Amino acid sequence: MLCACSGEQFKLEEAVPQSPESLATRDFSASGLSSRTGTVDWESKLEDAQVDEAESTLKEALSLNYEEARALLGRLEYQRGNFDAALQVFQGIDIRLLSPRMSKAIAERTRPRKMRSKDRNVLAGVMSLHSVSLLLEAILLKAKSLAELGRVKEAARECKIILDTVESALPNGVYGEINEDSKLLEMFHRALELLPKLWLQVGSLDEAIAAYRRALLKPWNLDPQRLAKVQKDLAATLLYGGVEAGIPSEYKLWGSMFPKSSIEESILLLFILMQKVLHGEIEWDQEVMDHLTFALTISGEFVSLADHVEQVLPGRYNRVERWYFLALCYSAAGQNQTAVNLLKKASGFSEDNSKPHLASFLLGAKLCAQDPNESSQGINFARRVIDVSMDQNEHILSQGHKFLGICYGNVATTSVSDIERVTLHRDSLNSLNHISLSGTKDPEISFRLGLENAVQRNLTPAFEQAMLYSKMTAGSSARGWKLLALIASAEQRLKDAEAIIDLALDETVNIDQLELLRLKAVIQIAQEQPKQAIETYRILLALIQGLSEHHVENTSKLQAERTLELEAWLDLAGLYSDNELWLDSDICIKKAKATKFYSPRCWHATGRLFEAQEQYKEAIIAFSVSLSIEPDYVPSIVSTAEVLLKMGNKSLPIAKSFIMNALRLEPTNHEAWLNLGLIYKTEGLVQQAADSFQAAHELKLSAPVQSFH
C-alpha cells in the first residue's frame, strides 16, 4: 500500500487554504496512515514537529526521497495559507540541479512505447513521471508563494524554470504522448498561463508578451477554451500595453506575411478568436468583441468591423442593437446612406411594440441633418428623440431640438412651395431659438442660428450668432470664420470680410485654409481687384498641387482638393471672361474639364464664355449640357433665360418659364428677379416689372459673394 501511495497520480489542488485534516486524509488514506486508523496523528505532527522531523516521517512512511517529501510538505503548508512556511520548505529543493534529470525523464518516458520497450535498462535510472509531476508542482507552488509574499519577479523566474524544463525535453511541443500523465501536463499548462501574468504584475510588458507568444508558438495541447484565453490576453496586452513589441526574427515563419505592428498582431489574434466562436469551437466572449471593436476603430477599419458584427450569430445582440452597432460602423466609414437605412429599421413598424431605442433615433437625426436629401426622415427621428427624452434628459432633449431645427432648414431649401418654405424656415428658427433661450451652451446651436438667419437675410442677428460661435470655439473653427466673412460681404463690407479671412488664414490649416484662400480671391474680385485675385488663385493652385502629392492614398482629402482646384479654375475663367480675355478663359475651362469633365459648372462656364462672345446658339447648347448633368442647376437655368431674351421676343414665353423655375428653386436669386423684370417690361407689365427690379435690387444689396450653404 505504501508503494501504491508513492506511485499514485496526485491531483493538483487550487492555491487556497484548506483543512489540513482533509488534505492528510486524501493524500495518505491509501497508506493506512489516516487519522481513522490512529497509527499517526498527522494533524498534530505537522503542527508541532519541525520541518526536518515531518520530512523524515514522510520519507520513512511513503518511501519518498528528500525532494519529494519536501514537495508534499510544502504543498500542505501552501494549502493551509502558510506561504512563508511553504517557501521555507520549497527552498530546500535544489531545482536547478534536478532540472536536467527532470528533462531527461520527460524526454525518455514520453517516447513511443515501442522505443521504450527496446531500452528498458536505460529507464531504470530515470525519474518517474509521477516524481517529475510532484517536483513541477513544487516549483509552481513556490512561484505562487513568492507572488503572495510580494516577490513577483522572483516568482516569474521560478515559473520560467517549469517552461524551460519541459520545453528542453519536448522542443517540438506536446501532441498525444504525455496524456497518460495528466498531472504533469496540468502543471505545465498552469505555468504557461501564470508566467505572463506575473510579468504583467512586475510591469515588464516585453517579458509578458514574450511569455504569451511562447505559449502559442508550439502545440502544447491546451484545451480550446484555455488556448483562447491565452490568445485573448495576448491581444489585450498588445492592444492596451502602449508598447510596440516587435516579433523576434525566429518567430517570423511566414516570410513577409507576419504582422508588422502590435495592433496588427492583436487584430489577427482577435480574428482567429472570432472564427473559433463562429465555428462553435469556443464559447461566446463579449470581451473579444469589445477588444476587436476598439482595435478596428483605432485602425480605421470600420467596414471590416461591420462585417464581423454581421457574422455574429443571432441572439448575442437583439435586432435594434445590431442595427445600431452596424450603423455606427458604416457612418464612421463615411457610408451615411447605408447607416440611415439601418436606423430606419430601428424606427420601423416592426419595432413599435419594443422599447424605444433612443441612441438609434439620436444617431439617425444626426446623420439626416448632414444630408439635405434625408432631412425629411431626420425630422421624424428628431421628433422621436424629443418624445422619448421629454421630462427625462435635458441634454438629449436639447440635441433633439437642435437636429429638428437643422432638418427643418434643410428641407426648406429644397421645398417647391413658397408657403411650405416659409413655414419650415419659421419652424427651424423656433426650434433653434427654443434651445438657445433655455440656456444651453452649445456652439453648434449658435452656428446653426447664424446660418439660418443669414439664409433668410436677417443679417444682424446672423452676425451676432456667428460672433458668439467664434468666441465659444476660440476662433478655431474655419466654418465660423467663413460664415462671418460671408455675412460681412452680404452687408457690403467687403474690406471687413477680407480682413476676417486674413485672420482666419492664421488659425486654420490644410483644406480649411485652402477654402478660405479661395473665398479671399472671390472677395477681391467683388472689390474689382483682378490682379490681386489672380495672385491669390496662383498661390491657391500651387498649394493644392503640393498637398495632392502628399495625399495620394487619402481618397477623401484628394477628392476635396480636386473639387477646390476645379472651383479655382472656373473662378479664373469667369474673371478672364469678364475682362474679355477669351483665350485665357478658354484655357482655364479646359483645365477644369480635365479635372472633372461632367461638371454642371464647367459647362455653365463654357456657355458664359460663348455668351460673352455673342455665340448664342453654342451658349444654349453648353447650358443644355449643364442642365442635363444637373437639371436643377439654377445658374444655368437663369443664363439660358438670358440668352433666350437676347435671341428675340419669340423665345419670351420659354425664357419666362425658365426664370419662374429658377425662382421656385432659389427665391433669393437677384439675377433671376432682374431677368423677370426685363420680361415683364417687354410684356408691358410696368408695375410687375418695377416690383421685380425692386426685389432684385434689395436682394443684391444683401447677397453674399458665395452661397451661405
Side-chain angles (χ1 to χ4, degrees):
M1 291 180 67
L2 289 174
C3 293
C5 180
S6 64
E8 89 176 33
Q9 305 297 316
F10 290 101
K11 183 181 178 182
L12 176 69
E13 294 298 320
E14 297 295 332
V16 293
Q18 297 186 15
S19 166
E21 180 178 356
S22 62
L23 288 167
T25 302
R26 186 200 61 231
D27 289 331
F28 309 118
S29 59
S31 65
L33 298 173
S34 68
S35 57
R36 288 177 296 172
T37 63
T39 305
V40 180
D41 189 349
W42 287 101
E43 176 68 19
S44 60
K45 183 163 294 284
L46 287 174
E47 290 180 353
D48 301 328
Q50 298 296 321
V51 172
D52 291 339
E53 295 177 3
E55 174 193 329
S56 177
T57 305
L58 283 170
K59 288 167 65 178
E60 294 174 2
L62 298 178
S63 300
L64 301 177
N65 62 30
Y66 173 84
E67 292 82 9
E68 292 170 344
R70 278 189 169 266
L72 283 174
L73 184 58
R75 185 215 293 179
L76 291 172
E77 293 293 349
Y78 177 82
Q79 290 169 340
R80 295 172 65 187
N82 298 331
F83 302 119
D84 280 315
L87 183 59
Q88 181 182 356
V89 175
F90 289 134
Q91 283 176 339
I93 305 173
D94 191 350
I95 292 298
R96 299 188 186 281
L97 184 63
L98 292 171
S99 182
R101 292 179 56 198
M102 294 164 64
S103 296
K104 182 179 179 182
I106 296 171
E108 294 293 338
R109 293 188 179 276
T110 56
R111 288 190 300 170
R113 294 183 180 275
K114 291 182 179 180
M115 296 179 65
R116 279 186 280 171
S117 61
K118 295 178 182 179
D119 209 4
R120 291 182 180 178
N121 294 331
V122 176
L123 294 178
V126 176
M127 297 172 63
S128 68
L129 286 183
H130 168 65
S131 298
V132 174
S133 302
L134 202 58
L135 293 173
L136 289 180
E137 181 188 21
I139 305 171
L140 183 64
L141 295 181
K142 181 180 179 182
K144 291 186 175 184
S145 298
L146 287 166
E148 292 287 350
L149 297 171
R151 298 159 63 179
V152 184
K153 200 166 188 178
E154 295 178 49
R157 290 173 183 155
E158 291 292 332
C159 192
K160 187 173 180 293
I161 293 174
I162 300 177
L163 273 59
D164 293 339
T165 301
V166 177
E167 191 169 4
S168 64
L170 303 168
N172 296 321
V174 177
Y175 292 93
E177 64 272 11
I178 204 171
N179 284 339
E180 63 186 47
D181 192 287
S182 59
K183 184 180 179 184
L184 190 152
L185 199 59
E186 179 68 18
M187 295 301 106
F188 180 63
H189 287 170
R190 294 208 175 198
L192 281 175
E193 295 171 329
L194 179 62
L195 182 58
K197 295 178 181 178
L198 294 174
W199 285 124
L200 286 175
Q201 288 183 41
V202 174
S204 181
L205 290 176
D206 289 334
E207 294 286 354
I209 291 170
Y212 278 126
R213 287 171 175 166
R214 184 177 184 178
L216 298 175
L217 184 63
K218 298 176 182 178
W220 295 122
N221 207 18
L222 284 162
D223 69 75
Q225 207 64 42
R226 294 174 79 169
L227 179 60
K229 179 71 166 58
V230 175
Q231 291 173 324
K232 182 182 75 171
D233 290 346
L234 173 56
T237 304
L238 291 167
L239 197 56
Y240 308 115
V243 295
E244 191 60 49
I247 299 177
S249 57
E250 62 267 22
Y251 289 0
K252 297 177 181 179
L253 306 177
W254 307 282
S256 61
M257 300 303 292
F258 62 88
K260 303 296 190 300
S261 66
S262 295
I263 298 295
E264 284 189 22
E265 185 178 356
S266 175
I267 292 173
L268 179 61
L269 287 165
L270 294 168
F271 280 174
I272 292 171
L273 289 171
M274 286 301 297
Q275 288 301 310
K276 288 182 178 181
V277 170
L278 293 177
H279 290 94
E281 295 177 24
I282 59 174
E283 297 177 358
W284 166 260
D285 189 344
Q286 183 61 45
E287 285 187 5
V288 172
M289 194 67 209
D290 293 341
H291 295 330
L292 184 61
T293 301
F294 178 76
L296 292 177
T297 298
I298 63 176
S299 302
E301 299 294 335
F302 301 106
V303 175
S304 178
L305 177 58
D307 291 341
H308 279 83
V309 175
E310 289 178 346
Q311 291 173 15
V312 174
L313 297 175
R316 302 304 177 187
Y317 301 103
N318 63 44
R319 288 189 302 178
V320 176
E321 287 177 348
R322 186 188 293 263
W323 291 332
Y324 176 65
F325 200 160
L326 288 170
L328 284 174
C329 296
Y330 286 117
S331 65
Q335 300 181 24
N336 286 354
Q337 187 61 54
T338 304
V340 170
N341 291 337
L342 287 165
L343 293 168
K344 286 178 181 177
K345 295 182 179 181
S347 60
F349 295 112
S350 63
E351 304 302 320
D352 284 348
N353 297 326
S354 304
K355 182 180 178 181
H357 197 260
L358 180 58
S360 296
F361 302 151
L362 192 60
L363 179 61
K366 179 182 178 180
L367 295 178
C368 291
Q370 297 171 5
D371 184 0
N373 296 324
E374 291 289 345
S375 290
S376 296
Q377 180 64 36
I379 292 173
N380 296 330
F381 278 124
R383 285 173 176 167
R384 295 288 295 272
V385 172
I386 294 170
D387 292 341
V388 173
S389 59
M390 189 71 70
D391 300 326
Q392 293 184 16
N393 191 314
E394 289 297 326
H395 173 70
I396 299 298
L397 184 62
S398 67
Q399 295 299 304
H401 280 290
K402 178 179 75 176
F403 293 132
L404 183 61
I406 295 171
C407 290
Y408 275 140
N410 290 341
V411 174
T413 59
T414 58
S415 176
V416 297
S417 168
D418 289 337
I419 296 176
E420 184 183 34
R421 186 184 301 112
V422 171
T423 302
L424 289 169
H425 276 307
R426 184 182 67 247
D427 291 342
S428 175
L429 283 176
N430 288 341
S431 294
L432 294 171
N433 280 319
H434 173 78
I435 316 167
S436 181
L437 294 174
S438 67
T440 302
K441 302 295 182 183
D442 187 345
E444 183 67 19
I445 294 171
S446 297
F447 176 80
R448 290 295 173 174
L449 272 172
L451 179 61
E452 190 61 33
N453 277 299
V455 169
Q456 298 184 44
R457 304 298 171 88
N458 302 323
L459 299 180
T460 300
F463 192 81
E464 291 174 355
Q465 291 294 335
M467 284 293 294
L468 180 60
Y469 173 76
S470 293
K471 289 179 181 178
M472 294 174 75
T473 57
S476 61
S477 173
R479 64 174 185 166
W481 289 110
K482 184 178 179 181
L483 181 59
L484 277 172
L486 289 174
I487 294 172
S489 70
E491 294 176 334
Q492 306 306 310
R493 296 186 289 130
L494 297 177
K495 288 193 176 296
D496 291 343
E498 187 176 358
I500 290 170
I501 295 298
D502 288 334
L503 286 172
L505 288 172
D506 295 331
E507 302 292 334
T508 54
V509 292
N510 296 334
I511 191 67
D512 292 333
Q513 194 174 52
L514 298 180
E515 290 178 352
L516 291 171
L517 204 57
R518 182 199 167 211
L519 180 56
K520 179 180 179 179
V522 173
I523 293 172
Q524 289 171 336
I525 293 173
Q527 294 181 84
E528 298 182 354
Q529 298 174 354
K531 291 183 179 180
Q532 291 90 327
I534 290 171
E535 177 62 19
T536 304
Y537 280 121
R538 185 189 67 79
I539 296 170
L540 172 62
L541 289 168
L543 289 172
I544 291 174
Q545 184 65 32
L547 287 173
S548 297
E549 294 175 357
H550 292 86
H551 295 157
V552 176
E553 296 181 357
N554 193 322
T555 307
S556 60
K557 288 186 178 180
L558 192 62
Q559 181 62 35
E561 289 160 5
R562 291 296 184 195
T563 302
L564 199 54
E565 182 183 4
L566 172 73
E567 299 294 337
W569 284 119
L570 293 175
D571 289 345
L572 277 170
L575 176 60
Y576 288 133
S577 179
D578 292 341
N579 288 275
E580 299 184 357
L581 299 171
W582 317 126
L583 184 59
D584 291 335
S585 179
D586 187 52
I587 291 172
C588 291
I589 291 173
K590 288 178 180 178
K591 290 277 190 181
K593 286 182 178 178
T595 303
K596 186 179 181 182
F597 187 78
Y598 294 103
S599 166
R601 195 183 171 201
C602 281
W603 288 98
H604 174 73
T606 303
R608 293 289 290 180
L609 179 59
F610 284 131
E611 182 184 358
Q613 298 176 74
E614 297 183 356
Q615 299 177 24
Y616 297 135
K617 289 184 179 180
E618 290 80 358
I620 288 291
I621 292 172
F623 292 139
S624 298
V625 173
S626 174
L627 291 173
S628 68
I629 297 170
E630 187 177 330
D632 291 338
Y633 189 65
V634 174
S636 290
I637 296 174
V638 175
S639 294
T640 302
E642 287 182 5
V643 174
L644 290 172
L645 286 174
K646 292 176 182 178
M647 293 175 69
N649 293 337
K650 291 182 180 180
S651 303
L652 196 64
I654 301 174
K656 187 175 182 180
S657 67
F658 272 100
I659 291 297
M660 298 306 291
N661 187 34
L663 289 173
R664 178 184 64 83
L665 295 169
E666 190 178 328
T668 57
N669 189 301
H670 62 274
E671 291 183 357
W673 283 105
L674 175 62
N675 284 284
L676 182 61
L678 293 173
I679 292 171
Y680 281 140
K681 183 181 178 182
T682 304
E683 292 177 339
L685 302 173
V686 180
Q687 184 59 47
Q688 288 90 330
D691 292 341
S692 298
F693 290 143
Q694 180 68 25
H697 175 70
E698 292 179 359
L699 288 171
K700 186 175 182 180
L701 290 178
S702 61
V705 293
Q706 279 184 3
S707 172
F708 286 114
H709 285 288

